[in-house]
Amino acid sequence: MLFIRRLVFRSSIRSQLRVFCRTMSGSNDDVIEQIVCKENDIPDNGMQEFEIGNNGNKVLVVKQNNEFFAVGSKCSHYGAPLVKGALGNNTVRCPWHGACFNLKTGDIEDFPGLDSIPSFKVSVTNGNVKVSAKKCALENAKFVKPLTKRNPENKLTFIVIGSGPAGTECVEKLRQEGFDGRLILITKDSYLPYDRTKLSKALSSEASGILLRSQPFYESGDIELLTKTSVESIDTSTKVVYLSNNEQLTFDALFIASGMTPRSTPEVSKYDNVFTLRTIEDAHKIHQSLSSDCHLVIVGSSFIGMELAAATFSKVKSVHVIGRSDVPFKESLGKEIGERIQELFESKGVVFHMKTSVKNYIGYNNRLSEIELSDGQKLKADVCIMATGSKTNVEFLAGSNIAINSSNGTIEVDKNLETNVKGIFAGGDVANAPVYPSNIKSSLGHWQLATYHGKVAALQMLGKKTPIKSVPFFWTALFGTSIRFAGFNRGHTDVIINGDLENFKAVVYYCKGNEVVAVATVGSDPIAAQFAELLGSGRTLNKEQAIDNKWLIEEEDTVVCTRL
């Protein structure tokens, strides 16, 4: 039996703690030492946050195997309180989006986000647990590991193609792990790597507000960024990359994270008021085209389409969503959640046309005016957004001998993300990679998993064999309702619903035979994070344990446990 406990201290217990602070000299190295609790106040596998000093800063104290650890109290991604997350073996996982941090070092081990969190010294004397923390670390919830500088004596060249989460994490991890050869990141984009997930939620986002790292950051690690540059071809025999600027680069190791491009057709792309969403420029064009008298039609009812519908609804006169399936999100979240989300959108005034398709796009002088559906209905369309999926960016691999999956156009890789060509790796959306723990190959298109691929690829390029061991985790927020998902529900046979889905407080278990392979939660944090931690530790959950959330035991106001 495994217990994962979160101890919630009552104020009466806190008042009994003997606390003292001592500030050591040195303005930049000021250290606060404080007794936070008694040794026996926290049970094994328990955690609690404590305020340190006089400025409201907090640390998370964890007890595992009778050893104490102290780290920053907030996730480096969006600041979620880690005390409400899930404990693993020497790790703590964020309750909101599943990022995972090492308790000893504070290093980020799984994603999203890029930053680590600070770690602090803990000592136990005469039964008192004391935390020693530098003020600067207390005041900064994020910790950025330093980057290695380039060594001119090292003649190796590593190239990364693509500036999405996989490529961004790969170049950063290479420098953090000590690679001091030449390092080049190539991207078609006009900007430094940025958070694309924010575009569908805020079309007016400026690059400066969503950059993942600044220019000085990349300069600090001598990372060469080639923006507005595409790879035209690769010669795998001579290990040469040919670029759109007529430059040729020789490489010793290569990571391909070229991602995907939204699908469209010549039939609709000829219209000036039809858009897809991939880049900041795309988002700005859509934003500028919307107005209070605009009739917006969105073709596609999965994440991009639905997030855009929620983000644009208050800015236009009407929003119509066209989908081929019975309900939105059916392929990713299933019919049950899809039905309830559709009801939520309809209550806001969004109109759905499901189990249908577009028969004809009608327009004049390069402007779309109407969309005719397969049932004959016609929709007025001042603006149309195509959210009908994506195709892989692999055209430049023609003739390269790199194996491409014939069914979905992804790059075939093994458990180490290596292609069939030694020294060339691929990851992120463009890779057909094993999904943990089933090891079924797929391209999932998750920000979290793509970032993890970047980390794994960097380690492989350095000769540090690191098989994929990350549980897929994704999320969305629609009209203030957050949905978390953990696992891999491809081929699931049935679902178990616990809670009140009508009022968005429920857990949906996706089952394949007798095994629970994934969960989706609304209003039920941190259950998705706990499930991700369970799978990540190599354990399983069966249907009997999922019924009525039997694997979760809650003792009101004191301990939260996970039992198997």
Side-chain angles (χ1 to χ4, degrees), residues 18 32 94 96 107 127 152 175 235 271 358 377 439 451 454 509 537 549:
R18 181 172 64 88
I32 294 176
C94 171
W96 293 354
D107 290 351
R175 285 296 193 230
D235 188 326
Y271 295 118
V358 176
Q377 184 179 2
N439 289 323
T451 313
Y509 294 90
S537 66
N549 295 332

Side-chain angles (χ1 to χ4, degrees), residues 59-129:
V59 299
L60 180 71
V61 177
V62 178
K63 184 179 181 181
Q64 274 198 342
N65 299 319
N66 292 315
E67 184 178 1
F68 285 88
F69 306 94
V71 293
S73 65
K74 295 181 179 180
C75 176
S76 62
H77 182 223
Y78 278 172
L82 294 176
V83 71
K84 295 183 178 180
L87 277 178
N89 184 20
N90 292 318
T91 60
V92 61
R93 189 179 293 268
C94 171
W96 293 354
H97 305 125
C100 194
F101 303 92
N102 187 290
L103 291 175
K104 293 182 178 180
T105 63
D107 290 351
I108 187 167
E109 295 191 349
D110 204 344
F111 307 89
L114 294 171
D115 298 322
S116 298
I117 57 176
S119 62
F120 310 104
K121 181 181 178 181
V122 185
S123 59
V124 180
T125 305
N126 297 325
N128 295 318
V129 178

